[in-house]
Amino acid sequence: MSFYSDDSSTDELETLGWYHHDLSRHAAEALLLSNGTDGSYLLRNSNEGEGCFALSVRAKDSVKHFHVTRKDNSYSFGFNEYPTLQHFVIHFANQPLLGSDAGTLMVLKSPYPWRVEEPSIYESVRVHTAVKTGRTENDLVPTAPSLGTKEGYLTKQGAFVKNWKQRWFTLNRCELKYFKDKGSEEPIRTVDLRACSAVQFDYSQERVNCFCLVFPERTFYLCTKTGVEADEWIKILRWKLSQISKGR
């Protein structure tokens, strides 16, 4: 769906790496809060009419939305007007400050690309990447580790007393956290996957559907209710390790 009659201008906008097209306000908020960081931002279509866009910016634990309008060949944002899309892009590539309705200032740090390499068993995974002063759109290349996430209950063997307890696990970036239960606010422990050397099925326990994570100081033994669940966890964890080894 095109918002412009000028095909060349439309094509130029399509090349913008952090333009998320028809992403809704709700979806933008969920995306930035789940996978972004303070200062992550993206451009999307606005429902206010032709040539209207919204710049969605994460500010700590909330997302703010700002109007961007296009008329002819210029872009208006706040009190500023940019004669071309390239001027608009350079403005954001150089980390400007942005004022919110509450009067606070936000730094736009991380344009949020709409496409990046992803684990094949998951839908599209979006990541953020930092841009330094003086850079242009050509430098907006995703370099952060994938932010593919997963969560669910796993049964974990204790480190000293070898009993098994059910814990709620969350996987985000390079961190695997486990909690006493799903409603717990603070994790019992956070495991850094960058120190993990292997993830594999384990047949040494008297339980089925087990796998293990091998670390220098300890091997974690985990079990799922089904073999399908175990396979899903192993695939995403192995994919994470492959991305870490590539230095992504």
Side-chain angles (χ1 to χ4, degrees):
M1 178 178 177
S2 172
F3 281 85
Y4 325 115
S5 59
D6 186 342
D7 291 339
S8 63
S9 296
T10 303
D11 293 342
E12 185 185 22
L13 185 63
E14 295 293 330
T15 66
L16 187 63
W18 41 280
Y19 170 47
H20 289 241
H21 304 268
D22 293 321
L23 189 72
S24 69
R25 178 188 178 108
H26 176 75
E29 291 174 351
L31 189 67
L32 292 171
L33 288 173
S34 297
N35 297 337
T37 58
D38 189 14
S40 294
Y41 62 93
L42 59 85
L43 183 70
R44 58 185 177 81
N45 292 340
S46 171
N47 58 5
E48 294 192 6
E50 185 174 321
C52 295
F53 304 90
L55 184 75
S56 300
V57 186
R58 175 168 173 175
K60 296 184 178 179
D61 296 324
S62 65
V63 174
K64 307 295 183 183
H65 305 275
F66 301 87
H67 296 293
V68 178
T69 57
R70 181 182 181 280
K71 184 177 182 180
D72 297 325
N73 292 321
S74 65
Y75 291 82
S76 296
F77 175 68
F79 297 105
N80 298 318
E81 186 166 315
Y82 306 94
T84 67
L85 177 64
Q86 187 59 28
H87 284 83
F88 182 73
V89 168
I90 291 174
H91 175 74
F92 288 105
N94 286 279
Q95 303 181 10
L97 290 173
L98 186 67
S100 70
D101 295 337
T104 58
L105 292 176
M106 296 176 284
V107 179
L108 303 185
K109 299 177 182 178
S110 307
Y112 201 96
W114 69 273
R115 178 180 292 173
V116 73
E117 182 182 356
E118 69 211 53
S120 59
I121 60 172
Y122 285 87
E123 295 179 358
S124 181
V125 178
R126 297 177 172 90
V127 304
H128 69 276
T129 177
V131 179
K132 297 181 180 179
T133 300
R135 293 193 173 187
T136 66
E137 186 192 1
N138 293 331
D139 298 296
L140 304 188
V141 179
T143 57
S146 166
L147 299 179
T149 61
K150 187 171 177 59
E151 60 183 20
Y153 279 108
L154 296 172
T155 304
K156 186 186 76 69
Q157 187 183 64
F160 302 106
V161 179
K162 302 300 182 180
N163 58 344
W164 295 83
K165 292 184 178 180
Q166 181 175 265
R167 298 293 185 229
W168 178 257
F169 280 76
T170 64
L171 174 63
N172 190 27
R173 298 185 177 89
C174 297
E175 294 182 341
L176 182 66
K177 299 180 180 180
Y178 58 90
F179 303 76
K180 184 176 181 181
D181 54 50
K182 187 176 180 179
S184 300
E185 294 184 1
E186 293 297 323
I188 296 173
R189 181 168 181 173
T190 299
V191 180
D192 189 342
L193 293 176
R194 289 172 293 186
C196 182
S197 60
V199 178
Q200 59 198 29
F201 275 105
D202 182 82
Y203 303 100
S204 65
Q205 307 300 315
E206 296 180 355
R207 289 172 173 256
V208 295
N209 307 322
C210 285
F211 63 96
C212 64
L213 285 75
V214 182
F215 288 83
E217 76 284 357
R218 176 184 172 185
T219 296
F220 289 84
Y221 294 96
L222 305 167
C223 291
T224 61
K225 290 184 178 179
T226 68
V228 172
E229 288 180 271
D231 188 57
E232 288 180 352
W233 275 101
I234 290 172
K235 282 183 177 178
I236 189 66
L237 287 165
R238 282 180 175 172
W239 186 83
K240 288 279 189 181
L241 297 188
S242 72
Q243 296 301 295
I244 293 171
S245 68
K246 291 178 183 177
R248 295 180 68 88

